[in-house]
Amino acid sequence: MTMPENGGEPVAALSLTSSTVDEITVVKVDGVLDATTREQFADCLVMAGSDLILDLAGVTFMDSRALGLIVHHWQTSLASGAKFALIGVEYSKSKVMWITGLAQRLPLYDTLDDALAAIK
């Protein structure tokens, strides 16, 4: 939880919502992906299963630990023949993907429809 500057109610640093599209789990990520939310994000990835699309459009910041979790899930998916994609990734909020060169290797798509068409 983080405290808002205006003294209001505490707000969650990370919100994860899951749905299923064409038998693929789609997890919408809103908020910060860093050391403070790592465990929550890791648990979500485990529960999501093997076929996964991560919608990162709502990410406000991502650190290298969160990227490590994403890469691990991607590699596990590749090894098992599962489907995996990332959508809505924005450079300004996920610079670590570009700094590490992983933006050129990870399966990034602009929209859910683009990802579904590519991974079916």
Side-chain angles (χ1 to χ4, degrees):
M1 296 292 225
T2 58
M3 294 300 293
E5 292 179 24
N6 63 5
E9 292 295 315
V11 295
L14 182 63
S15 171
L16 302 164
T17 53
S18 177
S19 61
T20 304
V21 178
D22 293 344
E23 299 182 18
I24 298 171
T25 302
V26 179
V27 174
K28 183 167 177 30
V29 182
D30 290 299
V32 175
L33 288 175
D34 67 5
T36 65
T37 59
R38 184 183 193 284
E39 189 173 323
Q40 180 185 2
F41 185 52
D43 290 346
C44 177
L45 290 176
V46 169
M47 292 185 328
S50 54
D51 290 339
L52 177 65
I53 295 174
L54 285 175
D55 181 349
L56 302 178
V59 170
T60 56
F61 173 78
M62 178 189 301
D63 74 3
S64 61
R65 292 179 208 191
L67 180 57
L69 288 172
I70 291 169
V71 169
H72 176 74
H73 199 85
W74 170 57
Q75 290 173 330
T76 302
S77 295
L78 284 176
S80 68
K83 299 171 182 169
F84 182 85
L86 304 173
I87 60 173
V89 178
E90 295 181 35
Y91 172 80
S92 63
K93 299 169 186 173
S94 306
K95 289 180 186 173
V96 68
M97 275 192 202
W98 279 265
I99 291 168
T100 60
L102 287 166
Q104 289 75 36
R105 299 188 63 209
L106 288 165
L108 304 179
Y109 301 95
D110 291 332
T111 68
L112 179 59
D113 289 340
D114 292 344
L116 288 169
I119 66 176
K120 282 188 175 183

